[in-house]
């Protein structure tokens, strides 16, 4: 199965070569690499050319739109969505992911986790807890299921991705809303989703490093809608409450409930 690796990037000239080098070292060779860049940094084009990657420019600098844009030039059977600051430390990672889809024809999406690059023990505990919660919520039966793979590691079949209409073209929580779409699609189609704790990409915890563990938690309060049902009448109220103590709360709730695109 051919895999299209779609990388969302914004001025990641320092990080991107590390990811592309790790992709080049993968044992699974039937791949194409697509970098969707939101900045005008000419260095990104030089890096993409050096590694033989396709480069697409995202004029909106919109993360959901970026991921969808990458698929328009992709030709793979599988779409692997990740971010430019990640690396694939396991040289057999793509081989292992591909095998999951080959062995299970009903598999729609395989989500992996991140191996955090951080010095803070508290930050590591926070991420480990998040990984376990994501896994537990993914095992619940629908409609209680909450399948929320991290934006750093989402692999879907190209045909199913296109039938679903792709990512919501929003600025925040695009992976959370996409996970909700996956739940409904898989349930209605009798297909399956997997959240694989054994599959990882390395990822720096830059936000937590900058804000500290508590500041990082406060920033990411907007992901709460991914794991809870909120009655429509309470959406504005709870969204404003989260916005008051974190970031993006109100917008995140509104996107989840109505999936209103936020592209300018």
């Amino acid at each position: 199965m051919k895999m299209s690796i779609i990388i969302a990037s914004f001025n990641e000239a320092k990080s991107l070569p590390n990811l592309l080098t790790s992709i080049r070292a993968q044992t699974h060779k039937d791949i194409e690499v697509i970098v969707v860049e939101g900045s005008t940094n000419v260095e990104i084009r030089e890096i993409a050319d050096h590694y033989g990657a396709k480069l697409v420019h995202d004029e909106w600098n919109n993360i959901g739109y970026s991921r969808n844009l990458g698929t328009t030039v992709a030709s793979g059977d599988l779409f692997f969505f990740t971010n430019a600051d990640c690396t694939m430390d396991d040289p057999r990672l793509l081989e292992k992911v591909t095998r999951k889809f080959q062995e299970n024809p009903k598999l729609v999406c395989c989500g992996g986790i991140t191996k955090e690059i951080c010095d803070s023990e508290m930050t590591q505990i926070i991420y480990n807890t998040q990984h376990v919660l994501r896994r537990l919520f993914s095992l619940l039966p629908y409609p209680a299921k909450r399948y929320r793979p991290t934006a750093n590691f989402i692999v879907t079949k190209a045909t199913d991705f296109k039938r679903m209409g792709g990512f919501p073209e929003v600025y925040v929580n695009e992976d959370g809303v996409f996970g909700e779409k996956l739940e409904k699609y898989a349930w209605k189609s009798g297909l399956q989703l997997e959240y694989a704790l054994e599959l990882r990409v390395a990822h720096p915890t830059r936000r937590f490093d900058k804000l500290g563990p508590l500041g990082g938690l406060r920033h990411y309060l907007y992901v709460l809608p991914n794991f809870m049902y909120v009655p429509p009448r309470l959406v504005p109220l709870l969204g404003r409450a989260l916005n008051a103590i974190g970031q993006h709360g109100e917008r995140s709730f509104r996107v989840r409930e109505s999936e209103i695109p936020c592209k300018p």
Side-chain angles (χ1 to χ4, degrees), residues 7-264:
I7 304 167
S9 170
F10 182 80
N11 205 21
E12 292 281 0
K14 291 183 178 180
S15 301
L16 185 59
N18 296 329
L19 173 57
L20 296 178
T21 298
S22 69
I23 292 173
R24 181 177 281 181
Q26 291 291 306
T27 56
H28 183 74
K29 299 299 184 182
D30 192 7
I31 62 174
E32 64 178 351
V33 182
I34 301 162
V35 178
V36 185
E37 175 60 36
S39 76
T40 56
N41 188 344
V42 295
E43 193 175 354
I44 299 294
R45 176 168 293 281
E46 295 172 358
I47 293 170
D49 289 344
H50 176 75
Y51 285 91
K54 298 179 184 178
L55 182 66
V56 183
H57 179 61
D58 171 16
E59 61 181 351
W60 300 110
N61 186 25
N62 174 304
I63 188 65
Y65 176 74
S66 288
R67 300 191 195 283
N68 290 338
L69 184 62
T71 68
T72 63
V73 297
S75 59
D77 305 297
L78 301 174
F79 293 158
F80 190 135
F81 298 96
T82 189
N83 293 317
D85 56 349
C86 295
T87 52
M88 299 182 184
D89 290 349
D90 180 359
R92 297 181 59 212
L93 179 66
L94 300 184
E95 178 186 338
K96 293 174 181 177
V97 174
T98 302
R99 187 181 301 122
K100 282 188 175 290
F101 285 91
Q102 291 173 332
E103 294 177 349
N104 184 1
K106 290 189 174 183
L107 187 62
V108 175
C109 180
C110 178
I113 67 173
T114 52
K115 175 185 176 183
E116 287 69 42
I117 303 172
C118 67
D119 297 323
S120 168
E121 185 176 346
M122 180 57 69
T123 297
Q124 189 63 66
I125 290 172
I126 291 170
Y127 271 91
N128 288 344
T129 302
Q130 175 202 200
H131 297 326
V132 172
L133 288 175
R134 285 179 188 266
R135 171 66 172 167
L136 291 176
F137 278 113
S138 74
L139 295 175
L140 294 174
Y142 189 85
K145 177 188 286 290
R146 293 292 182 270
Y147 183 75
R148 301 295 186 267
T150 169
N152 296 309
F153 194 135
I154 298 176
V155 187
T156 68
K157 282 183 179 175
T159 51
D160 291 308
F161 181 87
K162 293 172 182 177
R163 287 179 190 141
M164 289 170 51
F167 283 90
E169 296 185 352
V170 296
Y171 292 107
V172 62
N173 199 31
E174 89 292 345
D175 51 341
V177 184
F178 183 63
E180 191 170 354
K181 292 177 70 174
L182 280 165
E183 290 166 10
K184 296 176 182 177
Y185 177 81
W187 179 68
K188 291 178 179 178
S189 306
L191 300 174
Q192 297 175 7
L193 307 167
E194 182 172 352
Y195 187 65
L197 292 177
E198 74 277 13
L199 300 178
R200 305 184 177 203
V201 292
H203 181 253
T205 57
R206 293 188 292 188
R207 187 81 65 182
F208 276 82
D209 293 342
K210 180 180 179 180
L211 301 176
L214 293 180
L217 277 175
R218 177 177 174 271
H219 174 85
Y220 286 112
L221 279 174
Y222 71 86
V223 303
L224 281 178
N226 295 342
F227 301 106
M228 60 193 299
Y229 171 73
V230 181
R233 289 184 180 181
L234 296 182
V235 168
L237 179 62
L238 199 49
R240 283 194 292 271
L242 279 183
N243 234 23
I245 57 176
Q247 295 192 27
H248 314 305
E250 187 171 4
R251 172 179 282 179
S252 179
F253 267 91
R254 286 180 175 172
V255 166
R256 174 178 178 262
E257 293 296 332
S258 60
E259 297 188 23
I260 300 174
C262 295
K263 190 170 67 178

